Amino acid sequence: NAWVKKLPHKHKIYVAGNHDRLFESNLSFAKSLIPDWTYLQDEEITIFHWVPSLFRMLVSSFADNDRFPSFRFIVLGSEPVSSQDVDAYKRHFIPGCKLLNRLGTTETGNIRWYFLDEKTQLAGSFVPVGYEIEDTEVFLVDESGNKVDYNQIGKICVKSRYLSPGYWRRPELTRAAFFPDPTGGNERIYVTEDLGRMHPDGCMEYVGRKDSQVKLHGFRIELGEIESVLGQHPVVRGAIATVREDNPGDKRLVANVVARSDTSTNELR
């Protein structure tokens, strides 16, 4: 649950926990986790740790000129962070406040992180999760288990000595996710259900969960990429893409958007 903790040097941290799955299934409860912005000011919160979906709900309630001078550090993770999230961070939090996009799992701990500030310029719609952390190798594989090339989407695999021993009393799940080092070393490999894209310089993007990838008319489509592109439109506050099959065999790619102001479907197309 959400809590506030005082830290040394007059810092306060607000943590809402990892409620990304909860947000999808129980929107009303998710909204209850979002503090009123006046609360953040009154408590002089300096460190903020949340998932991006709840962060978006919070900043959508801000007026354009709302700014929070007490914030020093914002941590987002567990879901893809978009360029729109970074724009909101720059708009509402003062210079000197840092933003961290982190990637990790319960089984691995943190495996990547990427720091941003008010001067950071992004090349695309996705925000990188950064570079390798010491003693942890990350690589991407296709459905056959072969490593994918740079700039291709693949399943994220983590090789390290510091992995979870497995799932309590679930040996079949452990065997399906954890594998010994094929080179005979003392490291192990954990195969996630997350997707990523590796750049030639070793920087990685987190694309989303494998179950968010669909196939339509023979083409593999990443729904998160479509949602991210739609979110770049100035009147779009949020977007969700999905595949609908109103008639048997007639699958269509459909997007639902929440607009900031009145707009036409033709304009969005």
Side-chain angles (χ1 to χ4, degrees):
N1 292 327
W3 51 271
V4 174
K5 182 175 179 61
K6 293 184 178 180
L7 300 175
H9 308 297
K10 299 181 179 180
H11 286 285
K12 289 184 180 180
I13 182 171
Y14 183 93
V15 179
N18 190 352
H19 293 289
D20 50 321
R21 295 290 172 228
L22 185 65
F23 169 72
E24 294 173 359
S25 60
N26 192 336
L27 183 61
S28 61
F29 186 79
K31 288 181 178 178
S32 72
L33 296 173
I34 301 175
D36 185 86
W37 65 269
T38 56
Y39 171 83
L40 299 176
Q41 289 183 319
D42 294 343
E43 288 292 330
E44 297 182 339
I45 300 298
T46 56
I47 303 173
F48 193 85
H49 189 177
W50 246 359
V51 294
S53 51
L54 294 181
F55 174 76
R56 289 175 202 128
M57 293 179 69
L58 174 69
V59 298
S60 68
S61 67
F62 295 166
D64 288 341
N65 59 348
D66 283 341
R67 291 174 68 81
F68 298 89
S70 64
F71 276 87
R72 295 293 178 267
F73 195 38
I74 298 174
V75 182
L76 299 178
S78 299
E79 300 170 345
V81 176
S82 70
S83 58
Q84 290 74 39
D85 298 326
V86 177
D87 291 340
Y89 146 75
K90 292 180 179 180
R91 186 164 57 251
H92 295 293
F93 302 94
I94 63 171
C97 176
K98 299 294 189 287
L99 174 64
L100 171 63
N101 184 21
R102 56 168 290 276
L103 179 64
T105 69
T106 303
E107 295 86 352
T108 64
N110 288 327
I111 59 174
R112 295 267 167 154
W113 48 35
Y114 189 78
F115 290 88
L116 304 95
D117 60 21
E118 69 278 5
K119 298 179 181 178
T120 302
Q121 300 295 319
L122 298 173
S125 57
F126 278 96
V127 181
V129 289
Y131 301 86
E132 285 191 357
I133 294 176
E134 187 176 2
D135 294 324
T136 301
E137 178 186 352
V138 177
F139 57 93
L140 310 179
V141 300
D142 59 21
E143 293 181 352
S144 300
N146 301 313
K147 290 186 177 181
V148 302
D149 293 332
Y150 292 123
N151 299 317
Q152 300 296 313
I153 294 177
K155 187 185 292 187
I156 298 173
C157 301
V158 183
K159 182 179 179 182
S160 175
R161 291 178 294 166
Y162 308 108
L163 301 179
S164 165
Y167 303 108
W168 176 251
R169 295 182 177 177
R170 301 295 299 274
E172 71 286 352
L173 288 180
T174 300
R175 287 192 296 269
F178 293 88
F179 300 89
D181 184 351
T183 63
N186 60 356
E187 297 176 313
R188 295 159 65 230
I189 296 173
Y190 171 66
V191 180
T192 76
E193 291 298 316
D194 295 307
L195 300 174
R197 181 191 291 109
M198 194 76 70
H199 293 267
D201 65 352
C203 189
M204 192 175 78
E205 295 177 10
Y206 173 51
V207 178
R209 297 285 295 176
K210 182 184 176 184
D211 52 19
S212 70
Q213 193 179 74
V214 298
K215 201 168 187 179
L216 183 64
H217 304 316
F219 294 96
R220 194 169 300 279
I221 300 170
E222 176 51 53
L223 297 177
E225 290 188 324
I226 295 173
E227 294 166 356
S228 181
V229 170
L230 288 171
Q232 295 180 48
H233 195 287
V235 303
V236 173
R237 174 177 293 177
I240 295 178
T242 186
V243 173
R244 280 177 46 178
E245 190 173 3
D246 296 331
N247 300 311
D250 181 21
K251 292 183 178 180
R252 294 184 299 156
L253 186 63
V254 176
N256 299 278
V257 301
V258 177
R260 300 181 187 275
S261 58
D262 292 337
T263 186
S264 67
T265 302
N266 289 335
E267 181 183 356
L268 292 176
R269 285 177 175 170

